Amino acid sequence: MQVDELLPFLRENQESLIQEIREGKYKPTPVRRVEIPKETKGEFRKLGVPTVVDRVVQQAIAQELSPIYEEQFSENSFGFRPKRGVHDALRQCQKHVNEGYVYVVDMDLEKFFDTVCQSKLIEVLSKTIKDGRVISLIHKYLNAGVIANGMFERTEVGMPQGGPLSPLLSNVMLNELDKELERRGHRFVRYADDCMIFCKSRKSAERTLENIIPFIEGKLFLKVNRKKTEVAHISKVKYLGYSFYRHKGKCRLRIHPKSVIKMKNKIRELTDRNKGISNEVREKKYQEYVQGWVEYFRLADMKGLLIKTDEWARRRIRAVYWKQWKRIKTKYRMLKALGLEDWKVKELAYSRKGYWRMAKALNQIFSKKIIAKLGYTSMLDYYLIVSEN
């Protein structure tokens, strides 16, 4: 069923659907398996996309349970919660570092969503939710199974990542870890399954890691990824795409090199002169990406990086247009429109240099202003508007 077919369906079947849920007879449909590539090459994140009707029911459960659990959740948890986000988590990290907690346990839970122990999760939910029908319905969602390549697969462990209910359930499960860390008096920041515990010395951080692993693996039945979990100085850590550094005694944020590489690859893809898309589509996609990216990284110090990136991106954009002006006639007409003298127009229009070299030659004529008018937002200009530094 398509999303736009949902409303007529619900109008027609509302009563029977509600009755089925009330009587505990409602049976969720298996989710559709979708794999999206992770940052690590060759690794994929498995998503489970529920049907539209199941999404409505899951959303209803989440809306009812969220206010109940919000009262129980930790102040140090920031992922998938109302009025909290990535920037709040990062500010909290800065606060801990400024208070001298410069060594961190960078915790990585191995395939968290795929390895959640369902019976443990149900046990944790049952402490708060006393209506057996709600528990039973959530259990049915966990056990609904997956359709992968047209084949049905059972899901006896883990929970599908991709429905409206899974973020809440992940927080309910990991709230047990939060409570334990608070009980032990640790300073920590958790965003979804990304957790950092802050300590004053390397020894204390190593001891903390050693002591918390038995709780995570023995009590919560989750697996700690030993390869990716590390004890390190804050300056060596990547968290939510950012890295940290000290300046005049204060903790500052910059963009992690891996995030820079990822961003440049995306700009490369958007300004690929061999890609057969219209200029309108390219401009729109570029603008959306740049604004979204700068908005996310607005806490970082990155003026210098953005000046260089903008110059490089503008050169790529000029190369796109130069390739589009295939014929000498077109080049002549376009260069003339840019207000160039006749002799210079001829020199450039008849040039046999490659696209990349010509893009540099057009630097002064095909100016920054013109590129901005075409709809290509300058990263630096947008950063100066939204930056909080």
Side-chain angles (χ1 to χ4, degrees), residues 65-75 81 128 175:
L65 297 189
S66 282
I68 297 167
Y69 277 106
E70 269 303 308
E71 293 176 8
Q72 300 181 16
F73 287 160
S74 165
E75 281 297 304
R81 290 185 60 191
T128 302
N175 190 41

Side-chain angles (χ1 to χ4, degrees), residues 139-151:
H139 206 173
K140 281 177 187 170
Y141 273 115
L142 296 173
N143 280 323
V146 168
I147 301 287
N149 302 321
M151 300 292 284

Side-chain angles (χ1 to χ4, degrees), residues 9 13 44 56 69 131 167 190 194 301 382:
F9 173 84
N13 300 281
F44 290 88
V56 170
Y69 277 106
D131 190 332
R190 183 175 68 76
D194 270 345
D301 300 326
Y382 194 67

Side-chain angles (χ1 to χ4, degrees), residues 115-263:
T115 59
V116 167
C117 173
Q118 292 181 3
S119 53
K120 180 67 187 174
L121 177 58
I122 294 298
E123 180 200 311
V124 173
L125 287 165
S126 303
K127 289 179 195 171
T128 302
I129 305 163
K130 297 307 174 193
D131 190 332
R133 294 170 301 174
V134 179
I135 296 288
S136 167
L137 185 54
I138 292 173
H139 206 173
K140 281 177 187 170
Y141 273 115
L142 296 173
N143 280 323
V146 168
I147 301 287
N149 302 321
M151 300 292 284
F152 175 78
E153 289 174 19
R154 291 170 71 95
T155 47
E156 284 160 357
V157 289
M159 58 179 159
Q161 187 180 356
L165 192 54
S166 52
L168 175 67
L169 294 181
S170 71
N171 269 338
V172 169
M173 188 69 174
L174 290 169
N175 190 41
E176 297 297 296
L177 173 61
D178 297 347
K179 281 195 278 193
E180 182 63 21
L181 289 170
E182 279 171 1
R183 195 183 65 73
R184 296 183 184 192
H186 291 306
R187 289 180 176 234
F188 67 96
V189 171
R190 183 175 68 76
Y191 188 93
D193 58 335
D194 270 345
C195 184
M196 289 223 295
I197 308 167
F198 291 78
C199 302
K200 284 200 164 177
S201 69
R202 181 179 287 275
K203 264 212 168 116
S204 144
E206 281 164 359
R207 197 165 52 246
T208 301
L209 175 60
E210 209 175 291
N211 293 337
I212 201 67
I213 286 176
F215 175 81
I216 294 170
E217 297 188 335
K219 294 279 170 69
L220 300 182
F221 308 110
L222 296 169
K223 195 154 174 35
V224 174
N225 187 334
R226 301 292 205 283
K227 280 183 187 168
K228 291 184 182 175
T229 298
E230 57 172 356
V231 166
H233 189 271
I234 191 69
S235 58
K236 301 280 190 288
V237 170
K238 175 188 180 218
Y239 192 59
L240 303 173
Y242 283 78
S243 60
F244 304 82
Y245 75 102
R246 303 288 291 276
H247 179 67
K248 293 182 179 173
K250 291 285 176 198
C251 177
R252 308 278 297 174
L253 296 162
R254 56 162 66 111
I255 298 171
H256 194 275
K258 281 185 183 173
S259 303
V260 175
I261 292 166
K262 204 175 163 191
M263 172 266 287

Side-chain angles (χ1 to χ4, degrees), residues 264-327:
K264 286 193 169 174
N265 287 341
K266 184 66 183 175
I267 288 179
R268 256 188 209 102
E269 186 194 313
L270 291 170
T271 56
D272 182 355
R273 56 181 176 268
N274 299 317
K275 209 173 190 175
I277 57 170
S278 72
N279 287 336
E280 287 78 14
V281 171
R282 182 186 285 107
E283 286 152 19
K284 188 171 180 289
K285 282 187 171 181
Y286 185 88
Q287 188 172 8
E288 282 171 0
Y289 177 73
V290 162
Q291 289 186 357
W293 190 88
V294 172
E295 198 73 53
Y296 182 87
F297 286 106
R298 67 172 190 261
L299 298 186
D301 300 326
M302 54 175 179
K303 257 189 193 171
L305 168 73
L306 294 189
I307 290 167
K308 283 180 185 172
T309 307
D310 269 341
E311 282 173 5
W312 168 74
R314 282 196 291 269
R315 187 170 173 185
R316 289 188 65 83
I317 292 159
R318 289 184 192 106
V320 168
Y321 281 91
W322 187 253
K323 188 178 183 188
Q324 285 173 3
W325 306 340
K326 282 180 186 166
R327 298 162 66 193

Side-chain angles (χ1 to χ4, degrees), residues 38-49:
K38 279 185 168 185
E39 280 182 36
T40 318
K41 225 179 181 182
E43 283 188 27
F44 290 88
R45 179 170 278 113
K46 291 178 180 178
L47 298 185
V49 182

